[in-house]
Amino acid sequence: MKKHGILNSHIAKVLADLGHTDYIVIADIGLPVPEGVPKIDLALTYGVPSFRDVVQIIADDMEIEQITIAEEMMGQNRETFAYMQQEFAHIPLSTCSHEEFKRRSQHAKVIIRTGESRPYANCILHAGVYFGANAQ
């Protein structure tokens, strides 16, 4: 039995299979999932699990090179935007329109749906390369 990290076998497999520049989407309850893109649905009820909880747990287990959010988050979900800026200050944060975000979601390795019910609580996590703690 797995002892550390993400216990959800579907998410653990997706993360283990990511290559450099592949990406995943962490989504609120309303983001449409494009046909052909796998969905891991974690939503239990409104707000559970939260976007923050899922992003943080995945970020602890994933080498993230860049994060993309919709511009609309900045004005219509300031609390989540502030969280993203603060929590991931060391990672480049890019923005695009929500419509462009949805187009980019078509190429995600997976969309992980949370129970988040605040608008525009979505992000694209771009995989980086981890060479280990002792890499030079």
Side-chain angles (χ1 to χ4, degrees):
M1 178 173 199
K2 190 168 161 83
K3 182 172 153 177
H4 299 287
I6 293 175
L7 299 179
N8 180 293
S9 62
H10 303 290
I11 295 173
K13 173 143 180 45
V14 166
L15 295 181
D17 288 344
L18 288 176
H20 186 220
T21 74
D22 287 341
Y23 58 88
I24 65 172
V25 174
I26 311 300
D28 61 25
I29 59 171
L31 188 73
V33 177
E35 190 172 323
V37 177
K39 174 178 72 171
I40 299 172
D41 195 342
L42 302 178
L44 298 173
T45 189
Y46 286 99
V48 179
S50 72
F51 173 79
R52 281 187 189 193
D53 287 344
V54 173
V55 168
Q56 187 59 61
I57 290 166
I58 289 175
D60 288 345
D61 212 27
M62 178 182 174
E63 185 68 22
I64 300 170
E65 181 173 87
Q66 177 183 338
I67 298 173
T68 303
I69 61 169
E71 297 163 346
E72 289 84 348
M73 182 193 286
M74 294 184 287
Q76 297 186 41
N77 190 343
R78 291 184 179 147
E79 183 180 326
T80 300
F81 179 62
Y83 163 76
M84 295 297 289
Q85 283 187 303
Q86 179 181 341
E87 191 64 33
F88 302 104
H90 60 289
I91 298 173
L93 181 68
S94 64
T95 62
C96 62
S97 71
H98 188 60
E99 289 305 312
E100 176 62 21
F101 187 97
K102 290 189 285 188
R103 279 191 289 278
R104 292 181 189 184
S105 295
Q106 295 173 358
H107 303 289
K109 293 295 181 182
V110 71
I111 295 180
I112 300 171
R113 182 176 177 246
T114 70
E116 187 61 58
S117 58
R118 289 180 245 185
Y120 304 106
N122 307 296
C123 68
I124 297 172
L125 302 178
H126 303 262
V129 178
Y130 182 71
F131 291 109
N134 298 322
Q136 297 291 320

